[in-house]
Amino acid sequence: QQPVQSPQAVILREGEDAVINCSSSKALYSVHWYRQKHGEAPVFLMILLKGGEQMRHEKISASFNEKKQQSSLYLTASQLSYSGTYFCGTEMEAGGTSYGKLTFGQGTILTVHP
Amino acid sequence: GAGVSQSPSNKVTEKGKDVELRCDPISGHTALYWYRQSLGQGLEFLIYFQGNSAPDKSGLPSDRFSAERTGGSVSTLTIQRTQQEDSAVYLCASSLRPQQKNTEAFFGQGTRLTVV
């Protein structure tokens, strides 16, 4: 089942913060976050594991609430380069193993203006 | 290679023709995935390879779609008798699963397929 992302779109001024949420109705093993710029390949940002810690990459961080099966991506002091479409990909455990098959949300379009 | 390479980058084909899309994964990556991205949509899983085997083909939308992988490396996605609804960007990804647990997938830039 496809995870639900919110909001669908965000417009920011450079330096502002944003939060993107990803919710699943299924029990998850991990959540992967990617950013895709127009016409380019999705670029990996971070992975959140069941029972794992909050992750951080420069000014982007993310958390995973296992009780709610929800992950949030936090973009702090946004830069122009943060513009793009953000996708969460969810992974379910398959019989005690996981092989990386992801079910992606519909994406959140982030636009950062000067 | 340095990254996942896909060819062609763009393909325009007439309805009813067959097309082949190619993916060269990162060297040493045993896991390979195909996804499809329709305009303004998220990525839709098609098929997963581990080596040359495809243990999960659950996302292939119809029997017109098939894929193979040879030598544990290059993969080809074939669409027979293309339809207009097949128009999309087809993305390939590879990873070091299962040798490295919980590692990420690296995506190619995709093949934009347009069926006219």
Side-chain angles (χ1 to χ4, degrees):
Chain A
Q1 191 138 8
Q2 186 181 32
V4 176
Q5 285 186 235
S6 62
Q8 290 186 335
V10 183
I11 300 175
L12 300 174
R13 291 277 180 202
E14 205 171 2
E16 292 181 338
D17 302 341
V19 180
I20 301 172
N21 296 306
C22 173
S23 296
S24 174
S25 59
K26 301 279 189 181
L28 301 175
Y29 175 73
S30 68
V31 180
H32 301 225
W33 285 96
Y34 285 82
R35 176 172 60 210
Q36 184 180 31
K37 294 184 182 280
H38 185 69
E40 298 181 8
V43 173
F44 173 78
L45 295 176
M46 61 188 74
I47 179 172
L48 286 303
L49 302 174
K50 181 177 72 171
E53 300 176 353
Q54 180 174 0
M55 301 298 291
R56 186 171 190 89
H57 173 69
E58 297 179 346
K59 292 183 180 177
I60 299 175
S61 61
S63 63
F64 179 27
N65 185 323
E66 288 178 51
K67 285 185 180 177
K68 294 183 179 180
Q69 297 302 321
Q70 176 175 308
S71 179
S72 296
L73 188 73
Y74 307 94
L75 298 104
T76 307
S78 58
Q79 305 168 16
L80 296 177
S81 61
Y82 285 7
S83 292
T85 302
Y86 288 76
F87 291 99
C88 68
T90 55
E91 183 178 8
M92 280 171 269
E93 208 156 15
T97 63
S98 58
Y99 55 88
K101 172 185 175 181
L102 297 177
T103 304
F104 284 91
Q106 80 278 19
T108 295
I109 301 171
L110 181 77
T111 306
V112 181
H113 291 297
Chain B
V4 178
S5 177
Q6 292 187 244
S7 61
S9 54
N10 279 285
K11 176 72 177 179
V12 180
T13 190
E14 291 182 354
K15 179 180 170 182
K17 301 276 190 182
D18 297 351
V19 294
E20 283 189 353
L21 312 179
R22 177 187 168 106
C23 171
D24 275 281
I26 293 172
S27 179
H29 281 196
T30 55
L32 186 147
Y33 317 83
W34 282 98
Y35 289 87
R36 177 168 71 173
Q37 186 173 30
S38 301
L39 188 64
Q41 299 297 309
L43 289 78
E44 173 191 9
F45 170 81
L46 297 177
I47 188 169
Y48 157 67
F49 284 94
Q50 182 55 238
N52 293 336
S53 301
D56 189 344
K57 307 178 184 179
S58 61
L60 294 177
S62 76
D63 59 9
R64 295 186 296 105
F65 287 72
S66 63
E68 64 173 13
R69 190 177 183 194
T70 55
S73 181
V74 172
S75 177
T76 303
L77 178 69
T78 302
I79 309 173
Q80 296 179 308
R81 304 180 304 280
T82 51
Q83 303 294 314
Q84 288 187 328
E85 62 262 28
D86 299 335
S87 296
V89 176
Y90 289 81
L91 289 158
C92 175
S94 69
S95 83
L96 280 168
R97 302 276 189 119
Q99 304 97 299
Q100 276 194 23
K101 197 177 178 183
N102 303 327
T103 190
E104 70 272 26
F106 296 85
F107 281 84
Q109 291 198 315
T111 294
R112 181 175 297 278
L113 175 67
T114 304
V115 182
V116 297

